[in-house]
Amino acid sequence: MGIDPNFDRNREQVGEENGVAVWGPVDPPEKLGIHGSHVAVDYDICVADGACLEDCPVDVFTWVETPDHPASERKVEPTREDQCIDCMLCVDICPVDAIDVDASRS
């Protein structure tokens, strides 16, 4: 099951990391929530294959360390989500559907 496309209505924003909104629940290291708003990455299902980071034409993503998370010990953070051009390549290429892009959440 992929990221909840309605997370901004179904979850509460519990804080920010590196200037990026974090949506709960969060209980590290197992539950890390969803990071981002316009470009959102579900850290709980991200497996960090890096395709989105490598293929994004405007370099929205950066690596962040997530020690001891069961899926992977690093994740892609939508650090520059304000630069997103809504091409949806990251959504299409993610092998576990951990990314959602929605212009209405800009």
Side-chain angles (χ1 to χ4, degrees), residues 8 34 48 53 56-59 61 65 69 76 85 89 97 104:
D8 58 326
I34 293 175
L53 183 136
C56 178
V58 292
D59 297 322
F61 302 99
E65 300 299 317
H69 187 269
V76 290
I85 59 173
L89 182 59
D97 298 324
S104 69

Side-chain angles (χ1 to χ4, degrees), residues 72-102:
S72 65
E73 295 210 347
R74 66 181 183 168
K75 306 292 181 188
V76 290
E77 180 177 76
T79 308
R80 293 178 290 277
E81 67 181 326
D82 61 329
Q83 300 298 310
C84 179
I85 59 173
D86 299 332
C87 71
M88 307 300 278
L89 182 59
C90 59
V91 173
D92 293 339
I93 202 165
C94 181
V96 293
D97 298 324
I99 303 172
D100 186 52
V101 175
D102 187 339

Side-chain angles (χ1 to χ4, degrees), residues 5-25:
N6 299 308
F7 71 87
D8 58 326
R9 286 174 273 179
N10 297 334
R11 295 179 178 221
E12 181 179 335
Q13 184 176 344
V14 295
E16 284 189 6
E17 288 183 18
N18 304 315
V20 176
V22 177
W23 304 81

Side-chain angles (χ1 to χ4, degrees), residues 28-64:
E30 292 85 17
K31 295 207 72 65
L32 301 176
I34 293 175
H35 291 233
S37 294
H38 176 72
V39 178
V41 179
D42 189 332
Y43 275 27
D44 297 329
I45 57 177
C46 173
V47 294
D49 81 329
C52 57
L53 183 136
E54 293 171 11
D55 292 349
C56 178
V58 292
D59 297 322
V60 166
F61 302 99
T62 58
W63 286 118
V64 293

